Amino acid sequence: MEEPGGAGAGSEMDPDNLCLESLTLDSDKLHLQLQIVTWNVGTASPPRDLSSLLLLEASGSNIDLYVIGLQEVNSRVVKFLSDLAFDDTWSLFLMDILAPLGYIKLSSIRMQGLLLLMFVKHKHIPFIQDIRTNYIRTGLYGYWGNKGGVTIRMSVYGHMLCFMNCHLPAHMENTNQRLDDFERMLEAQQFDGESIGGILDHDVVFWFGDLNFRISDFGIHFIREVVNSNRYNLLWEKDQLNIAKKKERFLQGFMEGPLKFKPTYKFDLNSDVYDTRWKKSLLGFNGKKRKPAWTDRILWKLKEDSESELDEAVGSDFEHILRVNLEKYTSHMSYGISDHKPVTGTFALQMKPLILEPSVTLRAEGEWNADHDSLISYSVSNDFPSSTWDWIGLYRVGFRHTNDYVTYAWVKDDEISFSKDCNQVYISADEIPLDGGEFLLGYFCHNLQCLAGISEPFPIQPGRTLSAKNGTEESIDDSSKSDMFMGAGF
C-alpha cells in the first residue's frame, strides 16, 4: 500500500488542550463556537497579525471551529504548482498561529485562487466525521476555476454541516449571472457516500465568499455620503442580494445578519479610503470609480425540517435539534493588503449530540522507545465502517494536520491480534523516533475520511542507539578538550 500522506514537525502546545477527558458531553445539549472568515486577498501574502479575525486578542480562544474562506489566493503558474506539492503560504501561516493553541487543520480544498480551510480544537477531532470536499468551476462557461465554489461538508456530533466558499462573477450588470451560478452550484454539487447527497440536504449550510453583489440605482456620491454618516440601512433595500432573497425561490431560507458595517469593497490598498484611482480600460483611462458595495458576505440556511422541528420544540430538551445563533457579524477595516476588507461571522451552535463517544478508542501499550517494536491496542464501535485502508498515525504533540504524522501502521497489514473487543497492531522499532518526546496516536478511517479516534498523550523514551551516539560524541568532545589543554603528544 502507498503511504497515506506526508510528515511534518509538530509545534509546542498546551497539554490541557490535548486531553479528551476535558470534554464532558451533556447528552441533552452541546454548545460550540464557530468563527467564519471570508476574505478576497487579492493575491497578497498574509499580513503580520490576524488576531482580530481569529478572536485571539483576549487571552485564550473559546472558538471550537474555524472556517476560513479565501478568494484570489495567488495562483500564478509557478506559485500554484509549488502549492500543489507543498502547503500554500496562507495555510502554513494559519497553522503556525493555531497549532500551538490546540487546533489542527482538519480539512482543506483549493481550486485555483479559491481556498477553504477548516481548523478544529483538538478535543473535538473524534466527533467530526464523514468529511468530504467538492468544487465546481463557473468561469468560462464552467471550464475555468477563477470563479466558482469550493465546499467542505462533515458530521459534527452527528449533525451534517456544509460550508461553501464562493467567488461569483463581478460587475454591477451581472446579477443574473451570479444568481444562475449559485443555483447551479446548489443543484450540481454532490458528495460521495450514502448519508447526504446534495448541498441543501445538510442540516445547516453556510454560504460565504466574495459574492460580488452590488448596490443598485444609487450613485457613488450618495452611497459614500450615507456610508460616512453610518446610515447603512438606507442602502439595504437596493442591495442586489437582499432584493434577490425576496424574489428567488432557491434563496428562500437563507439568513444573514444586518449589514451594520461599511461596505467592504472597493478600497485603495493599505488604507480605509474607498477607490480613488481611475479605472483603466484597454484604450486608456475611462474615469470610472467603483461604487462601494457589500460584496463579501456570510449567510446560512437550516434544513427545512430542522426549522419546523425548532418551531415545535421550543422549551424541549433539544431533541434532535440544531440551533444557529449569529453573535457578531462585522468587517475588519484595519487590514489593507487587498481592495476588499475581510468579514467575519461569530456563531453559537447549540445541538443535541448524537455521538457521545469516539468511534475508536486506542492506546499505546507499555513503554515505548526505538530499541524494540511497540504495540497499539484499539477497539471500535459496533457500527464502525472499518476498511483495509485504515491506518494509525504516530503524531508528535502539537501536530498541525491529519497527515502531519511521524510514522503510521496499517490496521490490517500490521495487525498481530484481533478479537471482538480489542485489536492490536505493531510499529517497528525502526519507525520510532530515536530522540523520543511526547506523542499521541490517531486512527484514520478511510470511509469517513477523518481521525475517528485519538489517544491520550504518552512519552517515548530516547533509544539506546541515540544515547550511545551522544555518549560517543561527548567522549570525543572531552578528548578534544584534553588535547587542547595538555597538547596532542600526551
Side-chain angles (χ1 to χ4, degrees):
M1 289 184 178
E2 295 182 355
E3 183 176 332
S11 306
E12 292 186 5
M13 181 190 294
D14 183 350
D16 290 341
N17 290 324
L18 294 172
C19 184
L20 296 180
E21 294 176 357
S22 65
L23 179 63
T24 302
L25 289 181
D26 185 329
S27 60
D28 289 329
K29 59 183 176 181
L30 175 69
H31 298 266
L32 298 177
Q33 289 292 117
L34 165 67
Q35 180 78 348
I36 295 180
V37 179
T38 179
W39 194 2
N40 183 323
V41 298
T43 75
S45 298
R48 291 183 179 180
D49 185 14
L50 292 178
S51 297
S52 64
L53 293 188
L54 303 176
L55 299 183
L56 300 178
E57 293 170 326
S59 58
S61 174
N62 65 343
I63 299 299
D64 296 285
L65 186 66
Y66 287 103
V67 178
I68 300 166
L70 305 178
Q71 307 86 41
E72 293 193 20
V73 174
N74 190 339
S75 57
R76 295 185 180 95
V77 174
V78 174
K79 177 65 175 171
F80 186 67
L81 291 175
S82 172
D83 291 346
L84 289 177
F86 309 99
D87 280 309
D88 64 275
T89 305
W90 280 91
S91 296
L92 291 171
F93 184 69
L94 287 161
M95 284 190 285
D96 285 343
I97 295 172
L98 293 173
L101 300 177
Y103 298 88
I104 75 158
K105 188 183 78 170
L106 197 64
S107 183
S108 65
I109 181 172
R110 181 171 180 184
M111 181 184 71
Q112 288 182 217
L114 273 168
L115 177 63
L116 181 56
L117 301 163
M118 187 162 298
F119 293 85
V120 63
K121 237 174 196 175
H122 183 276
K123 63 185 180 182
H124 299 299
I125 293 172
F127 302 96
I128 300 181
Q129 304 178 353
D130 201 8
I131 302 171
R132 312 286 172 177
T133 61
N134 207 334
Y135 66 90
I136 186 168
R137 305 182 186 95
T138 59
L140 286 180
Y141 306 100
Y143 290 100
W144 191 242
N146 65 319
K147 295 292 189 293
V150 289
T151 307
I152 299 176
R153 81 90 183 272
M154 67 193 67
S155 167
V156 179
Y157 289 91
H159 299 272
M160 299 305 300
L161 274 59
C162 183
F163 299 89
M164 300 181 66
N165 173 28
C166 298
H167 194 183
L168 300 182
H171 305 306
M172 177 74 69
E173 65 273 14
N174 287 331
T175 305
N176 289 336
Q177 185 64 53
R178 287 188 276 276
L179 294 172
D180 289 346
D181 284 357
F182 182 59
E183 185 175 21
R184 179 182 163 219
M185 292 179 201
L186 292 178
E187 293 175 349
Q189 283 204 33
Q190 298 290 318
F191 295 94
D192 296 332
E194 301 177 358
S195 55
I196 300 294
I199 297 289
L200 295 180
D201 294 326
H202 294 79
D203 295 319
V204 184
V205 176
F206 291 93
W207 172 37
F208 48 92
D210 180 2
L211 307 186
N212 256 321
F213 290 101
R214 310 303 170 100
I215 298 171
S216 301
D217 299 338
F218 295 139
I220 186 172
H221 297 295
F222 176 78
I223 293 176
R224 289 188 175 184
E225 181 181 344
V226 167
V227 170
N228 290 335
S229 60
N230 297 325
R231 294 178 293 163
Y232 308 123
N233 60 303
L234 299 181
L235 305 175
W236 292 348
E237 65 178 14
K238 296 298 183 179
D239 175 80
Q240 292 175 339
L241 181 54
N242 285 342
I243 294 170
K245 283 167 61 182
K246 297 176 182 177
K247 294 181 178 179
E248 302 293 339
R249 183 178 179 83
F250 69 92
L251 291 179
Q252 290 181 8
F254 276 98
M255 295 176 280
E256 183 182 20
L259 298 167
K260 293 183 178 180
F261 50 86
K262 286 186 175 182
T264 54
Y265 177 82
K266 176 182 183 178
F267 288 89
D268 290 345
L269 294 182
N270 301 308
S271 80
D272 57 1
V273 177
Y274 284 106
D275 190 16
T276 59
R277 294 169 294 176
W278 301 114
K279 178 185 175 186
K280 183 181 288 187
S281 68
L282 291 175
L283 300 178
F285 296 99
N286 62 14
K288 184 179 179 180
K289 302 174 187 177
R290 301 292 176 88
K291 292 194 295 184
W294 287 291
T295 56
D296 309 279
R297 311 287 277 270
I298 302 173
L299 298 90
W300 74 98
K301 185 182 190 301
L302 286 163
K303 192 176 178 182
E304 291 182 5
D305 56 359
S306 296
E307 291 172 342
S308 63
E309 284 181 10
L310 276 173
D311 294 336
E312 296 171 3
V314 173
S316 74
D317 293 331
F318 288 75
E319 184 64 29
H320 299 285
I321 290 176
L322 173 62
R323 292 178 183 268
V324 178
N325 295 316
L326 176 64
E327 295 187 340
K328 189 173 184 180
Y329 187 35
T330 189
S331 64
H332 297 261
M333 298 295 292
S334 62
Y335 294 98
I337 61 173
S338 81
D339 52 6
H340 290 253
K341 300 299 182 183
V343 171
T344 58
T346 307
F347 295 85
L349 307 182
Q350 302 177 30
M351 64 183 71
K352 177 183 175 69
L354 306 180
I355 300 174
L356 297 174
E357 299 289 340
S359 299
V360 179
T361 57
L362 66 166
R363 66 181 183 272
E365 296 289 357
E367 181 180 288
W368 280 45
N369 61 53
D371 298 326
H372 56 76
D373 297 347
S374 296
L375 290 180
I376 302 168
S377 294
Y378 73 92
S379 58
V380 302
S381 60
N382 292 331
D383 57 349
F384 182 70
S386 60
S387 161
T388 55
W389 292 97
D390 292 356
W391 48 271
I392 296 174
L394 175 66
Y395 298 90
R396 289 189 184 273
V397 165
F399 70 104
R400 296 151 64 92
H401 53 83
T402 304
N403 289 332
D404 193 19
Y405 52 76
V406 176
T407 187
Y408 65 94
W410 296 104
V411 297
K412 296 301 182 185
D413 289 1
D414 299 315
E415 188 175 69
I416 59 173
S417 69
F418 66 93
S419 67
K420 180 180 179 181
D421 299 321
C422 183
N423 303 302
Q424 286 191 323
V425 299
Y426 79 97
I427 289 183
S428 168
D430 295 336
E431 303 291 334
I432 297 175
L434 274 173
D435 56 347
E438 289 291 316
F439 291 81
L440 51 81
L441 300 165
Y443 184 109
F444 184 83
C445 175
H446 176 77
N447 287 327
L448 296 178
Q449 288 294 296
C450 70
L451 287 173
I454 295 284
S455 77
E456 298 294 342
F458 64 94
I460 293 182
Q461 303 301 324
R464 285 196 297 268
T465 305
L466 181 65
S467 300
K469 178 182 177 183
N470 290 339
T472 302
E473 290 175 350
E474 289 174 4
S475 299
I476 294 172
D477 290 342
D478 290 342
S479 175
S480 299
K481 290 175 183 176
S482 299
D483 287 346
M484 290 173 62
F485 181 73
M486 302 176 65
F490 287 88

